[in-house]
Amino acid sequence: MENYPLWFKVLCHFDDNNYFENGLTIPFLIGAVSIINPDEDIISVEEFFLQAIDESLPRKISLQKCGFIGEYVIGTIDKETINYPYGKAITKQFGNICITDSSFLDIIDTHVVKKILINESQDLLDSNVYSINQGNWGDYSDIEKSRLEELKLN
Protein backbone atom coordinates (compact mmCIF):
# COMPACT_ATOMS: atom_id res chain seq x y z
CA MET A 1 0.00 0.00 0.00
CA GLU A 2 3.04 2.22 0.27
CA ASN A 3 2.89 3.73 -3.22
CA TYR A 4 -0.84 4.40 -3.27
CA PRO A 5 -2.47 7.77 -2.55
CA LEU A 6 -3.17 8.55 1.10
CA TRP A 7 -6.93 8.81 0.52
CA PHE A 8 -6.86 5.25 -0.87
CA LYS A 9 -5.02 3.99 2.22
CA VAL A 10 -7.63 5.72 4.40
CA LEU A 11 -10.45 4.13 2.40
CA CYS A 12 -8.95 0.64 2.66
CA HIS A 13 -8.19 1.06 6.38
CA PHE A 14 -11.73 2.19 7.16
CA ASP A 15 -13.19 -0.56 4.96
CA ASP A 16 -10.98 -3.30 6.41
CA ASN A 17 -11.96 -2.25 9.94
CA ASN A 18 -15.69 -1.93 9.12
CA TYR A 19 -15.74 1.75 10.12
CA PHE A 20 -18.43 2.59 7.53
CA GLU A 21 -21.33 1.00 5.69
CA ASN A 22 -21.61 2.59 2.25
CA GLY A 23 -18.46 4.64 2.01
CA LEU A 24 -16.74 7.90 2.93
CA THR A 25 -17.27 11.33 1.46
CA ILE A 26 -14.66 12.83 -0.84
CA PRO A 27 -13.86 15.68 1.60
CA PHE A 28 -13.38 13.09 4.36
CA LEU A 29 -10.93 11.07 2.27
CA ILE A 30 -8.97 13.99 0.86
CA GLY A 31 -8.92 15.97 4.10
CA ALA A 32 -7.53 13.00 6.06
CA VAL A 33 -4.05 14.24 5.22
CA SER A 34 -4.66 17.14 7.66
CA ILE A 35 -4.68 14.57 10.50
CA ILE A 36 -2.27 11.93 9.22
CA ASN A 37 0.38 14.16 7.64
CA PRO A 38 -0.46 17.84 8.30
CA ASP A 39 2.65 19.09 6.47
CA GLU A 40 1.42 17.58 3.21
CA ASP A 41 -0.80 19.58 0.82
CA ILE A 42 -4.44 18.65 0.38
CA ILE A 43 -5.09 17.52 -3.17
CA SER A 44 -7.94 18.87 -5.30
CA VAL A 45 -11.09 16.93 -6.14
CA GLU A 46 -9.90 16.86 -9.74
CA GLU A 47 -6.61 15.23 -8.68
CA PHE A 48 -8.56 12.78 -6.50
CA PHE A 49 -10.80 11.84 -9.42
CA LEU A 50 -7.83 11.24 -11.72
CA GLN A 51 -6.25 8.99 -9.09
CA ALA A 52 -9.54 7.14 -8.43
CA ILE A 53 -10.18 6.21 -12.08
CA ASP A 54 -6.64 4.82 -12.36
CA GLU A 55 -7.04 1.10 -12.98
CA SER A 56 -3.69 0.29 -11.36
CA LEU A 57 -5.27 0.64 -7.89
CA PRO A 58 -5.54 -2.81 -6.31
CA ARG A 59 -9.24 -2.39 -5.45
CA LYS A 60 -12.12 -1.07 -7.51
CA ILE A 61 -13.77 2.07 -6.15
CA SER A 62 -17.52 2.38 -5.67
CA LEU A 63 -19.32 5.70 -6.06
CA GLN A 64 -22.90 6.24 -4.97
CA LYS A 65 -25.19 8.81 -3.43
CA CYS A 66 -25.75 7.82 0.19
CA GLY A 67 -29.44 8.14 1.00
CA PHE A 68 -28.72 8.54 4.71
CA ILE A 69 -26.48 11.64 4.46
CA GLY A 70 -27.48 12.80 0.95
CA GLU A 71 -23.85 12.98 -0.23
CA TYR A 72 -21.71 11.06 -2.70
CA VAL A 73 -19.65 8.43 -0.95
CA ILE A 74 -16.66 6.37 -2.02
CA GLY A 75 -16.25 2.75 -1.03
CA THR A 76 -14.49 -0.30 -2.32
CA ILE A 77 -15.96 -3.06 -4.43
CA ASP A 78 -15.67 -6.52 -2.99
CA LYS A 79 -15.48 -9.69 -5.04
CA GLU A 80 -19.11 -10.52 -4.24
CA THR A 81 -20.26 -7.28 -5.86
CA ILE A 82 -18.04 -7.76 -8.91
CA ASN A 83 -19.39 -11.29 -9.33
CA TYR A 84 -23.02 -10.36 -8.58
CA PRO A 85 -25.29 -12.16 -11.07
CA TYR A 86 -25.36 -10.42 -14.44
CA GLY A 87 -23.34 -7.47 -13.11
CA LYS A 88 -26.47 -5.71 -11.83
CA ALA A 89 -24.71 -4.32 -8.73
CA ILE A 90 -22.55 -2.07 -10.91
CA THR A 91 -24.69 0.23 -13.04
CA LYS A 92 -21.82 2.01 -14.82
CA GLN A 93 -18.05 2.06 -14.77
CA PHE A 94 -15.51 4.82 -15.46
CA GLY A 95 -12.03 3.30 -15.32
CA ASN A 96 -11.58 2.03 -11.76
CA ILE A 97 -14.73 3.79 -10.48
CA CYS A 98 -17.87 1.66 -10.36
CA ILE A 99 -21.22 3.38 -9.95
CA THR A 100 -23.40 1.21 -7.71
CA ASP A 101 -26.65 3.17 -7.82
CA SER A 102 -28.64 5.22 -10.33
CA SER A 103 -27.05 8.61 -9.56
CA PHE A 104 -25.08 8.75 -12.82
CA LEU A 105 -27.30 6.64 -15.08
CA ASP A 106 -27.64 9.31 -17.77
CA ILE A 107 -23.98 10.38 -17.65
CA ILE A 108 -21.73 8.93 -20.34
CA ASP A 109 -18.65 11.10 -19.92
CA THR A 110 -16.05 11.05 -17.13
CA HIS A 111 -15.66 14.83 -17.43
CA VAL A 112 -19.28 15.31 -16.35
CA VAL A 113 -18.84 13.00 -13.34
CA LYS A 114 -15.65 14.85 -12.38
CA LYS A 115 -17.40 18.23 -12.71
CA ILE A 116 -20.30 17.09 -10.49
CA LEU A 117 -17.91 15.82 -7.82
CA ILE A 118 -15.86 19.03 -7.94
CA ASN A 119 -19.05 21.11 -7.60
CA GLU A 120 -20.16 19.00 -4.63
CA SER A 121 -16.87 18.85 -2.71
CA GLN A 122 -14.20 21.40 -3.67
CA ASP A 123 -15.71 24.33 -1.73
CA LEU A 124 -15.86 22.18 1.42
CA LEU A 125 -12.19 21.27 1.05
CA ASP A 126 -11.25 24.89 0.37
CA SER A 127 -13.01 25.77 3.65
CA ASN A 128 -11.18 23.00 5.57
CA VAL A 129 -14.48 21.20 6.19
CA TYR A 130 -14.06 17.46 5.89
CA SER A 131 -16.73 15.51 7.74
CA ILE A 132 -20.50 15.46 7.97
CA ASN A 133 -21.99 14.51 11.33
CA GLN A 134 -25.68 14.73 12.21
CA GLY A 135 -26.31 16.53 8.91
CA ASN A 136 -23.75 19.27 9.44
CA TRP A 137 -20.37 19.69 7.76
CA GLY A 138 -17.47 20.45 10.07
CA ASP A 139 -14.29 19.04 11.52
CA TYR A 140 -13.70 15.34 12.08
CA SER A 141 -15.31 13.92 15.22
CA ASP A 142 -13.01 12.67 17.97
CA ILE A 143 -13.59 9.04 16.97
CA GLU A 144 -12.88 9.85 13.31
CA LYS A 145 -9.64 11.57 14.33
CA SER A 146 -8.54 8.59 16.39
CA ARG A 147 -9.34 6.21 13.52
CA LEU A 148 -7.35 8.39 11.12
CA GLU A 149 -4.47 8.53 13.57
CA GLU A 150 -4.33 4.72 13.46
CA LEU A 151 -2.80 5.19 10.00
CA LYS A 152 0.12 7.10 11.52
CA LEU A 153 1.14 3.90 13.28
CA ASN A 154 1.10 1.79 10.12
Side-chain angles (χ1 to χ4, degrees), residues 35-107:
I35 302 294
I36 299 166
N37 189 0
D39 295 333
E40 195 173 312
D41 290 336
I42 293 175
I43 64 171
S44 68
V45 176
E46 180 172 15
E47 172 95 12
F48 164 83
F49 184 79
L50 294 174
Q51 292 174 1
I53 63 171
D54 183 351
E55 294 188 41
S56 70
L57 291 173
R59 296 188 194 180
K60 296 242 180 251
I61 304 297
S62 68
L63 172 62
Q64 65 179 307
K65 188 88 164 197
C66 178
F68 184 68
I69 63 171
E71 302 290 337
Y72 289 107
V73 293
I74 303 294
T76 60
I77 301 285
D78 58 20
K79 293 202 183 324
E80 291 172 9
T81 303
I82 290 170
N83 296 324
Y84 190 78
Y86 314 110
K88 298 279 190 217
I90 298 172
T91 59
K92 194 166 277 202
Q93 191 165 344
F94 299 102
N96 198 53
I97 298 175
C98 301
I99 311 301
T100 56
D101 66 359
S102 61
S103 59
F104 292 100
L105 267 184
D106 298 330
I107 308 294

Coordinates of all heavy atoms in Angstrom, one line a residue, residues 35-107:
I35 N -4.9 15.3 9.2 CA -4.7 14.6 10.5 C -3.4 13.7 10.4 O -2.6 13.7 11.3 CB -5.9 13.7 10.8 CG1 -7.2 14.5 10.9 CG2 -5.7 12.9 12.1 CD1 -7.2 15.5 12.0
I36 N -3.3 12.9 9.3 CA -2.3 11.9 9.2 C -0.9 12.5 8.9 O 0.1 12.1 9.5 CB -2.6 10.9 8.1 CG1 -3.9 10.2 8.5 CG2 -1.5 9.9 7.9 CD1 -4.6 9.4 7.4
N37 N -0.9 13.5 8.0 CA 0.4 14.2 7.6 C 0.1 15.6 7.4 O 0.0 16.1 6.2 CB 1.0 13.5 6.4 CG 2.4 13.9 6.1 OD1 2.9 14.8 6.8 ND2 2.9 13.4 5.0
P38 N 0.0 16.4 8.4 CA -0.5 17.8 8.3 C 0.5 18.7 7.5 O 0.1 19.8 7.0 CB -0.6 18.4 9.7 CG -0.2 17.2 10.6 CD 0.1 16.0 9.8
D39 N 1.7 18.3 7.3 CA 2.6 19.1 6.5 C 2.4 18.9 5.0 O 3.0 19.7 4.2 CB 4.1 18.7 6.8 CG 4.4 19.1 8.2 OD1 3.8 20.1 8.8 OD2 5.3 18.5 8.8
E40 N 1.7 17.9 4.6 CA 1.4 17.6 3.2 C 0.2 18.4 2.7 O -0.7 18.7 3.4 CB 1.1 16.1 3.1 CG 1.2 15.6 1.7 CD 1.0 14.0 1.6 OE1 1.7 13.4 2.4 OE2 0.2 13.6 0.8
D41 N 0.3 18.8 1.4 CA -0.8 19.6 0.8 C -2.0 18.7 0.6 O -1.9 17.5 0.3 CB -0.4 20.2 -0.5 CG 0.7 21.3 -0.4 OD1 0.7 21.9 0.7 OD2 1.4 21.5 -1.3
I42 N -3.2 19.3 0.7 CA -4.4 18.6 0.4 C -4.7 18.7 -1.1 O -4.6 19.8 -1.7 CB -5.6 19.3 1.2 CG1 -5.4 19.1 2.6 CG2 -6.9 18.8 0.7 CD1 -6.4 19.8 3.5
I43 N -4.9 17.6 -1.7 CA -5.1 17.5 -3.2 C -6.5 18.1 -3.5 O -7.4 18.1 -2.7 CB -4.9 16.1 -3.7 CG1 -6.0 15.1 -3.2 CG2 -3.5 15.6 -3.5 CD1 -6.0 13.8 -3.9
S44 N -6.6 18.4 -4.8 CA -7.9 18.9 -5.3 C -8.9 17.7 -5.6 O -8.4 16.6 -5.7 CB -7.7 19.7 -6.6 OG -7.3 18.8 -7.6
V45 N -10.1 18.0 -5.8 CA -11.1 16.9 -6.1 C -10.7 16.4 -7.5 O -10.9 15.2 -7.8 CB -12.5 17.4 -6.1 CG1 -13.5 16.4 -6.6 CG2 -12.9 17.9 -4.7
E46 N -10.3 17.3 -8.4 CA -9.9 16.9 -9.7 C -8.8 15.9 -9.7 O -8.8 14.8 -10.3 CB -9.5 18.1 -10.6 CG -9.1 17.7 -12.0 CD -8.9 18.8 -12.9 OE1 -8.8 20.0 -12.5 OE2 -8.8 18.6 -14.1
E47 N -7.7 16.2 -8.9 CA -6.6 15.2 -8.7 C -7.1 13.9 -8.1 O -6.7 12.8 -8.5 CB -5.6 15.9 -7.8 CG -4.5 14.9 -7.4 CD -3.2 15.0 -8.3 OE1 -3.1 16.0 -9.0 OE2 -2.4 14.2 -8.2
F48 N -8.0 14.0 -7.1 CA -8.6 12.8 -6.5 C -9.2 11.9 -7.6 O -9.0 10.7 -7.6 CB -9.6 13.2 -5.4 CG -10.5 12.0 -5.0 CD1 -10.1 11.1 -4.1 CD2 -11.7 11.9 -5.6 CE1 -10.9 10.0 -3.8 CE2 -12.6 10.9 -5.3 CZ -12.2 9.9 -4.3
F49 N -10.1 12.6 -8.4 CA -10.8 11.8 -9.4 C -9.8 11.1 -10.4 O -10.1 10.0 -10.7 CB -11.7 12.8 -10.2 CG -12.6 12.1 -11.2 CD1 -13.7 11.4 -10.8 CD2 -12.3 12.1 -12.5 CE1 -14.5 10.8 -11.7 CE2 -13.1 11.4 -13.5 CZ -14.2 10.8 -13.0
L50 N -8.8 11.8 -10.8 CA -7.8 11.2 -11.7 C -7.1 10.0 -11.1 O -6.9 9.0 -11.8 CB -6.8 12.3 -12.2 CG -7.4 13.4 -13.0 CD1 -6.3 14.5 -13.3 CD2 -8.0 12.9 -14.3
Q51 N -6.9 10.1 -9.8 CA -6.3 9.0 -9.1 C -7.3 7.8 -8.9 O -6.9 6.7 -9.1 CB -5.7 9.4 -7.7 CG -4.6 10.4 -7.8 CD -4.2 10.9 -6.4 OE1 -4.8 10.6 -5.4 NE2 -3.2 11.8 -6.4
A52 N -8.5 8.2 -8.7 CA -9.5 7.1 -8.4 C -9.9 6.3 -9.7 O -10.2 5.2 -9.6 CB -10.8 7.8 -7.8
I53 N -9.8 7.0 -10.9 CA -10.2 6.2 -12.1 C -9.0 5.4 -12.6 O -9.2 4.5 -13.4 CB -10.7 7.1 -13.2 CG1 -9.6 8.1 -13.7 CG2 -12.0 7.8 -12.9 CD1 -10.0 8.9 -14.9
D54 N -7.8 5.6 -12.0 CA -6.6 4.8 -12.4 C -6.8 3.3 -12.1 O -7.0 2.9 -10.9 CB -5.4 5.4 -11.6 CG -4.1 4.7 -12.0 OD1 -4.1 3.7 -12.7 OD2 -3.1 5.2 -11.5
E55 N -6.8 2.5 -13.1 CA -7.0 1.1 -13.0 C -5.9 0.3 -12.4 O -6.0 -0.9 -12.2 CB -7.5 0.5 -14.3 CG -8.8 1.1 -14.8 CD -9.4 0.5 -16.0 OE1 -9.3 -0.8 -16.1 OE2 -9.9 1.2 -16.9
S56 N -4.8 1.0 -12.0 CA -3.7 0.3 -11.4 C -3.9 0.2 -9.8 O -3.2 -0.5 -9.2 CB -2.3 1.0 -11.6 OG -2.3 2.2 -11.0
L57 N -5.0 0.8 -9.3 CA -5.3 0.6 -7.9 C -5.7 -0.8 -7.7 O -6.4 -1.4 -8.5 CB -6.4 1.6 -7.5 CG -6.1 3.1 -7.4 CD1 -7.3 3.9 -7.1 CD2 -5.0 3.4 -6.4
P58 N -5.3 -1.4 -6.5 CA -5.5 -2.8 -6.3 C -7.0 -3.2 -6.0 O -7.4 -4.3 -5.9 CB -4.6 -3.2 -5.1 CG -4.4 -1.9 -4.4 CD -4.4 -0.8 -5.5
R59 N -7.8 -2.2 -5.7 CA -9.2 -2.4 -5.4 C -10.1 -1.4 -6.3 O -9.7 -0.3 -6.5 CB -9.6 -2.1 -4.0 CG -8.9 -3.0 -3.0 CD -9.5 -2.8 -1.6 NE -8.6 -3.4 -0.6 CZ -8.9 -3.3 0.7 NH1 -10.0 -2.7 1.2 NH2 -8.1 -3.9 1.6
K60 N -11.2 -1.9 -6.8 CA -12.1 -1.1 -7.5 C -12.8 -0.2 -6.5 O -13.0 -0.5 -5.4 CB -13.2 -1.9 -8.3 CG -12.5 -2.8 -9.3 CD -13.1 -2.4 -10.7 CE -12.5 -3.2 -11.8 NZ -11.6 -2.5 -12.6
I61 N -13.1 1.0 -7.0 CA -13.8 2.1 -6.1 C -15.3 2.1 -6.5 O -15.6 2.2 -7.6 CB -13.1 3.4 -6.5 CG1 -11.6 3.4 -6.3 CG2 -13.8 4.6 -5.7 CD1 -11.2 3.1 -4.9
S62 N -16.1 2.2 -5.4 CA -17.5 2.4 -5.7 C -17.9 3.9 -5.4 O -17.2 4.5 -4.6 CB -18.4 1.5 -4.7 OG -18.2 1.9 -3.4
L63 N -18.8 4.3 -6.2 CA -19.3 5.7 -6.1 C -20.8 5.6 -6.1 O -21.4 5.0 -7.0 CB -18.8 6.6 -7.2 CG -19.4 8.0 -7.3 CD1 -19.1 8.8 -6.1 CD2 -18.9 8.7 -8.6
Q64 N -21.4 6.2 -5.0 CA -22.9 6.2 -5.0 C -23.3 7.4 -4.1 O -22.6 8.0 -3.4 CB -23.4 4.9 -4.4 CG -23.0 4.7 -2.9 CD -23.6 3.4 -2.4 OE1 -24.8 3.2 -2.4 NE2 -22.7 2.6 -1.8
K65 N -24.6 7.8 -4.3 CA -25.2 8.8 -3.4 C -25.8 8.1 -2.2 O -26.7 7.3 -2.3 CB -26.3 9.5 -4.2 CG -26.8 10.8 -3.5 CD -26.0 12.0 -3.9 CE -26.7 13.2 -3.5 NZ -26.2 14.4 -4.2
C66 N -25.3 8.4 -1.0 CA -25.8 7.8 0.2 C -27.1 8.4 0.6 O -27.2 9.7 0.8 CB -24.7 8.0 1.3 SG -25.3 7.3 2.9
G67 N -28.1 7.6 0.6 CA -29.4 8.1 1.0 C -29.5 8.7 2.4 O -30.3 9.6 2.7
F68 N -28.7 8.1 3.3 CA -28.7 8.5 4.7 C -28.2 10.0 4.9 O -28.8 10.8 5.6 CB -27.9 7.5 5.6 CG -28.0 7.8 7.0 CD1 -29.1 7.7 7.7 CD2 -26.8 8.3 7.7 CE1 -29.2 7.9 9.1 CE2 -26.9 8.5 9.0 CZ -28.1 8.4 9.8
I69 N -27.1 10.3 4.3 CA -26.5 11.6 4.5 C -26.7 12.5 3.3 O -26.4 13.7 3.3 CB -25.0 11.6 4.8 CG1 -24.2 10.9 3.7 CG2 -24.8 10.9 6.1 CD1 -22.7 11.0 3.9
G70 N -27.2 12.0 2.1 CA -27.5 12.8 1.0 C -26.2 13.3 0.2 O -26.3 14.3 -0.5
E71 N -25.1 12.6 0.4 CA -23.8 13.0 -0.2 C -23.3 11.8 -1.0 O -23.6 10.6 -0.7 CB -22.8 13.4 0.8 CG -23.3 14.5 1.7 CD -23.3 15.9 1.1 OE1 -22.7 16.1 0.0 OE2 -24.1 16.7 1.5
Y72 N -22.4 12.1 -2.0 CA -21.7 11.1 -2.7 C -20.7 10.5 -1.8 O -20.0 11.2 -1.0 CB -21.0 11.6 -3.9 CG -22.0 12.0 -5.0 CD1 -22.2 13.3 -5.3 CD2 -22.7 11.0 -5.8 CE1 -23.1 13.7 -6.3 CE2 -23.6 11.4 -6.7 CZ -23.8 12.7 -7.0 OH -24.7 13.0 -8.0
V73 N -20.6 9.1 -1.8 CA -19.6 8.4 -0.9 C -18.8 7.5 -1.8 O -19.3 6.9 -2.8 CB -20.3 7.7 0.2 CG1 -20.9 8.6 1.2 CG2 -21.3 6.7 -0.2
I74 N -17.6 7.3 -1.4 CA -16.7 6.4 -2.0 C -16.5 5.2 -1.1 O -16.2 5.3 0.1 CB -15.3 7.1 -2.2 CG1 -15.5 8.4 -3.0 CG2 -14.3 6.2 -2.9 CD1 -15.9 8.3 -4.4
G75 N -16.5 4.0 -1.7 CA -16.3 2.8 -1.0 C -15.3 1.9 -1.9 O -14.7 2.4 -2.9
T76 N -15.2 0.6 -1.5 CA -14.5 -0.3 -2.3 C -15.5 -1.4 -2.8 O -16.5 -1.6 -2.1 CB -13.3 -0.9 -1.6 OG1 -13.8 -1.6 -0.4 CG2 -12.3 0.1 -1.2
I77 N -15.1 -2.0 -3.9 CA -16.0 -3.1 -4.4 C -15.3 -4.4 -4.0 O -14.2 -4.7 -4.3 CB -16.0 -3.0 -6.0 CG1 -16.6 -1.6 -6.4 CG2 -16.8 -4.2 -6.6 CD1 -18.1 -1.5 -6.3
D78 N -16.2 -5.2 -3.4 CA -15.7 -6.5 -3.0 C -15.9 -7.5 -4.1 O -16.7 -7.2 -5.1 CB -16.3 -7.0 -1.7 CG -17.8 -7.0 -1.7 OD1 -18.4 -7.1 -2.8 OD2 -18.4 -7.0 -0.7
K79 N -15.3 -8.7 -4.0 CA -15.5 -9.7 -5.0 C -16.9 -10.1 -5.2 O -17.3 -10.4 -6.3 CB -14.6 -10.9 -4.7 CG -13.1 -10.5 -4.8 CD -12.3 -11.8 -5.0 CE -10.8 -11.5 -5.0 NZ -10.3 -10.4 -5.6
E80 N -17.7 -10.1 -4.1 CA -19.1 -10.5 -4.2 C -19.9 -9.6 -5.1 O -20.7 -10.0 -6.0 CB -19.8 -10.6 -2.9 CG -19.3 -11.7 -2.0 CD -19.8 -11.6 -0.6 OE1 -20.6 -10.7 -0.3 OE2 -19.3 -12.3 0.3
T81 N -19.6 -8.3 -5.0 CA -20.3 -7.3 -5.9 C -19.8 -7.4 -7.3 O -20.7 -7.4 -8.2 CB -20.0 -5.9 -5.4 OG1 -20.4 -5.8 -4.0 CG2 -20.7 -4.8 -6.2
I82 N -18.5 -7.6 -7.5 CA -18.0 -7.8 -8.9 C -18.7 -9.0 -9.6 O -19.0 -9.0 -10.7 CB -16.5 -7.9 -8.9 CG1 -15.9 -6.5 -8.5 CG2 -16.0 -8.3 -10.3 CD1 -14.4 -6.6 -8.3
N83 N -18.9 -10.0 -8.8 CA -19.4 -11.3 -9.3 C -20.9 -11.4 -9.2 O -21.4 -12.5 -9.4 CB -18.7 -12.5 -8.7 CG -17.2 -12.5 -9.0 OD1 -16.8 -12.2 -10.1 ND2 -16.4 -12.9 -8.0
Y84 N -21.6 -10.4 -8.7 CA -23.0 -10.4 -8.6 C -23.7 -10.8 -9.9 O -23.2 -10.4 -11.0 CB -23.5 -9.0 -8.2 CG -24.9 -8.9 -7.8 CD1 -25.3 -9.3 -6.5 CD2 -25.9 -8.4 -8.6 CE1 -26.6 -9.2 -6.1 CE2 -27.2 -8.3 -8.2 CZ -27.6 -8.7 -6.9 OH -28.9 -8.6 -6.5
P85 N -24.7 -11.6 -9.8 CA -25.3 -12.2 -11.1 C -25.6 -11.1 -12.1 O -26.2 -10.1 -11.8 CB -26.6 -12.8 -10.6 CG -26.3 -13.2 -9.2 CD -25.4 -12.1 -8.6
Y86 N -25.1 -11.3 -13.3 CA -25.4 -10.4 -14.4 C -24.8 -9.0 -14.3 O -25.2 -8.1 -15.0 CB -26.9 -10.4 -14.8 CG -27.5 -11.7 -14.8 CD1 -28.4 -12.1 -13.8 CD2 -27.2 -12.7 -15.7 CE1 -29.0 -13.3 -13.8 CE2 -27.7 -13.9 -15.7 CZ -28.6 -14.3 -14.7 OH -29.2 -15.5 -14.7
G87 N -24.0 -8.8 -13.3 CA -23.3 -7.5 -13.1 C -24.3 -6.4 -12.7 O -24.0 -5.2 -12.9
K88 N -25.4 -6.7 -12.1 CA -26.5 -5.7 -11.8 C -26.1 -4.8 -10.7 O -26.6 -3.7 -10.6 CB -27.8 -6.4 -11.4 CG -28.4 -7.2 -12.5 CD -29.1 -6.4 -13.5 CE -29.9 -7.3 -14.5 NZ -29.9 -6.9 -15.8
A89 N -25.1 -5.2 -9.9 CA -24.7 -4.3 -8.7 C -23.9 -3.1 -9.2 O -23.9 -2.1 -8.6 CB -23.9 -5.1 -7.7
I90 N -23.3 -3.2 -10.4 CA -22.5 -2.1 -10.9 C -23.3 -1.5 -12.1 O -23.5 -2.2 -13.1 CB -21.1 -2.5 -11.3 CG1 -20.4 -3.0 -10.1 CG2 -20.4 -1.4 -12.0 CD1 -19.0 -3.6 -10.4
T91 N -23.8 -0.3 -12.0 CA -24.7 0.2 -13.0 C -23.9 0.9 -14.2 O -24.4 1.0 -15.3 CB -25.7 1.3 -12.5 OG1 -24.9 2.3 -11.8 CG2 -26.6 0.6 -11.5
K92 N -22.7 1.3 -13.8 CA -21.8 2.0 -14.8 C -20.4 2.0 -14.3 O -20.2 2.0 -13.1 CB -22.3 3.5 -15.0 CG -21.7 4.2 -16.2 CD -22.5 5.4 -16.5 CE -23.7 5.0 -17.3 NZ -24.3 6.0 -18.1
Q93 N -19.4 2.1 -15.2 CA -18.1 2.1 -14.8 C -17.3 3.1 -15.6 O -17.4 3.2 -16.8 CB -17.5 0.7 -15.0 CG -16.1 0.5 -14.3 CD -15.7 -0.9 -14.2 OE1 -16.5 -1.9 -14.3 NE2 -14.4 -1.1 -13.9
F94 N -16.4 3.9 -14.9 CA -15.5 4.8 -15.5 C -14.1 4.5 -15.0 O -13.8 4.8 -13.8 CB -15.9 6.3 -15.1 CG -17.2 6.7 -15.5 CD1 -18.3 6.7 -14.6 CD2 -17.5 7.0 -16.8 CE1 -19.5 7.1 -15.0 CE2 -18.8 7.5 -17.2 CZ -19.8 7.5 -16.3
G95 N -13.3 3.8 -15.8 CA -12.0 3.3 -15.3 C -12.2 2.4 -14.1 O -12.9 1.4 -14.1
N96 N -11.5 2.8 -13.0 CA -11.6 2.0 -11.8 C -12.8 2.4 -10.9 O -13.0 1.7 -9.9 CB -10.3 2.3 -11.0 CG -10.0 1.2 -9.9 OD1 -10.0 0.1 -10.2 ND2 -9.8 1.7 -8.7
I97 N -13.6 3.4 -11.3 CA -14.7 3.8 -10.5 C -16.0 3.1 -11.0 O -16.3 3.1 -12.2 CB -15.0 5.3 -10.6 CG1 -13.8 6.1 -10.0 CG2 -16.2 5.7 -9.9 CD1 -13.8 7.6 -10.1
C98 N -16.6 2.4 -10.1 CA -17.9 1.7 -10.4 C -19.0 2.4 -9.7 O -19.0 2.6 -8.5 CB -17.8 0.2 -9.8 SG -16.4 -0.7 -10.5
I99 N -20.0 2.7 -10.5 CA -21.2 3.4 -10.0 C -22.1 2.3 -9.5 O -22.4 1.3 -10.3 CB -21.9 4.2 -11.0 CG1 -20.9 5.2 -11.7 CG2 -23.1 5.0 -10.4 CD1 -20.2 6.2 -10.8
T100 N -22.6 2.3 -8.3 CA -23.4 1.2 -7.7 C -24.8 1.6 -7.4 O -25.5 0.9 -6.7 CB -22.7 0.6 -6.4 OG1 -22.5 1.7 -5.5 CG2 -21.4 0.0 -6.8
D101 N -25.3 2.8 -8.0 CA -26.7 3.2 -7.8 C -27.1 3.9 -9.1 O -26.3 3.8 -10.1 CB -26.9 4.1 -6.6 CG -26.1 5.4 -6.7 OD1 -25.5 5.7 -7.7 OD2 -26.3 6.2 -5.7
S102 N -28.2 4.6 -9.1 CA -28.6 5.2 -10.3 C -28.2 6.7 -10.4 O -28.7 7.4 -11.3 CB -30.2 5.1 -10.4 OG -30.8 5.7 -9.3
S103 N -27.4 7.2 -9.6 CA -27.1 8.6 -9.6 C -26.4 9.1 -10.8 O -26.4 10.3 -11.1 CB -26.2 9.0 -8.3 OG -25.0 8.2 -8.3
F104 N -25.7 8.3 -11.6 CA -25.1 8.7 -12.8 C -25.6 8.0 -14.0 O -24.8 7.8 -15.0 CB -23.6 8.6 -12.7 CG -22.9 9.5 -11.7 CD1 -22.6 9.1 -10.4 CD2 -22.7 10.8 -12.0 CE1 -22.0 9.9 -9.5 CE2 -22.1 11.7 -11.1 CZ -21.8 11.2 -9.8
L105 N -26.8 7.5 -14.0 CA -27.3 6.6 -15.1 C -27.3 7.3 -16.4 O -27.0 6.7 -17.4 CB -28.7 6.2 -14.8 CG -28.9 4.9 -14.1 CD1 -30.4 4.5 -14.0 CD2 -28.2 3.8 -14.8
D106 N -27.6 8.6 -16.5 CA -27.6 9.3 -17.8 C -26.3 9.9 -18.2 O -26.2 10.5 -19.2 CB -28.7 10.4 -17.7 CG -30.1 9.8 -17.5 OD1 -30.3 8.7 -17.9 OD2 -30.9 10.5 -16.9
I107 N -25.3 9.8 -17.4 CA -24.0 10.4 -17.6 C -23.1 9.4 -18.4 O -23.0 8.2 -18.0 CB -23.3 10.7 -16.3 CG1 -24.1 11.6 -15.4 CG2 -21.9 11.4 -16.6 CD1 -24.5 12.9 -15.9

